[in-house]
Amino acid sequence: MRVVLVGYMASGKSSVGKLLSKELQLKFIDLDEYIEQQQQKSIKTIFSEKGEVYFRKLEHEMLSKVLDENKALILSTGGGTPCYGRNMETILQKSDDSIYLQLSIPALVERIKGEKEERPLVKNIDDEDLPEFIGKHLFERRPYYAQAKHILECDGKDLETVVTEIKQRLL
Ligand code: S3P
């Protein structure tokens, strides 16, 4: 079984993926961490040294590689992964289940406020400008996320609840 988690930055893809994989006893890969290990550099450094286009190319290659090499896994993607280079098509073709962890703009703003530093796309945005930035960005990205097989509303839900609800969808 291959399960892919998609969603905006800070929607909980990594924490949900980790706990879900533990409970289902499946291998877990976080695509950002995988890229960092392969490159021996943080995402932040890859963006600053080589730029976003280079990162998207790597992300595209690594997504296919990970899905081709693992027939059973939980994969957490980066917030932009489904939105570039036909990656969402790849996700839909090569996974059994894909899940969009959907959060509202206010919920995302609250989460991202405290976690901007490691995220190159938002690190220079003032907190007061985050609602507008995230609103526009999500408007562009949502059509990709929404292609996932399951859409899970996550506002106000803790990690355990989200994982339990995903397991119910997978059964
Ligand atoms: C990105 C999200 C990040 C990371 C990179 C780009 C994006 O992952 O892949 O900074 O385009 O939304 P998270 O969703 O884990 O923050």
Side-chain angles (χ1 to χ4, degrees):
M1 175 165 68
R2 284 181 291 198
V3 179
V4 180
L5 302 177
V6 303
Y8 200 70
M9 285 175 260
S11 56
K13 303 176 297 288
S14 304
S15 340
V16 169
K18 224 170 269 172
L19 184 59
L20 183 66
S21 71
K22 211 167 143 195
E23 296 195 5
L24 296 178
Q25 302 194 327
L26 282 169
K27 179 171 174 178
F28 171 66
I29 294 181
D30 179 284
L31 192 61
D32 280 339
E33 275 175 22
Y34 187 85
I35 294 171
E36 289 180 332
Q37 282 160 11
Q38 293 269 324
Q39 297 292 304
Q40 290 295 300
K41 279 178 186 164
S42 68
I43 300 291
K44 194 173 148 183
T45 307
I46 300 172
F47 263 75
S48 66
E49 287 182 352
K50 309 256 182 153
E52 182 172 354
V53 174
Y54 180 84
F55 172 76
R56 295 299 171 199
K57 194 166 165 275
L58 270 181
E59 182 180 47
H60 176 74
E61 289 165 4
M62 297 300 143
L63 173 70
S64 289
K65 182 174 182 323
V66 164
L67 288 171
D68 287 339
E69 288 177 358
N70 295 279
K71 301 297 170 216
L73 95 155
I74 308 290
L75 175 67
S76 293
T77 57
T81 312
C83 318
Y84 293 88
R86 299 188 165 209
N87 289 345
M88 195 62 205
E89 271 177 51
T90 303
I91 291 171
L92 291 171
Q93 276 166 15
K94 298 187 177 178
S95 68
D96 303 287
D97 284 281
S98 45
I99 299 149
Y100 169 26
L101 303 181
Q102 176 166 263
L103 280 137
S104 66
I105 296 166
L108 290 170
V109 170
E110 273 317 301
R111 288 183 181 208
I112 290 175
K113 256 186 196 170
E115 301 179 6
K116 287 196 303 199
E117 199 36 49
E118 294 305 312
R119 295 192 159 93
L121 295 182
V122 289
K123 92 176 185 333
N124 296 322
I125 312 244
D126 289 337
D127 282 355
E128 61 191 24
D129 296 329
L130 275 178
E132 191 187 343
F133 176 85
I134 294 172
K136 285 185 181 158
H137 209 195
L138 197 57
F139 181 76
E140 291 165 8
R141 288 182 165 191
R142 198 180 178 283
Y144 296 95
Y145 300 149
Q147 291 172 43
K149 191 166 162 188
H150 308 275
I151 298 182
L152 193 71
E153 180 50 62
C154 297
D155 269 24
K157 292 178 188 165
D158 63 16
L159 179 60
E160 285 73 22
T161 308
V162 172
V163 168
T164 305
E165 291 188 8
I166 292 177
K167 285 198 296 186
Q168 286 162 355
R169 303 268 186 124
L170 297 181
L171 292 175

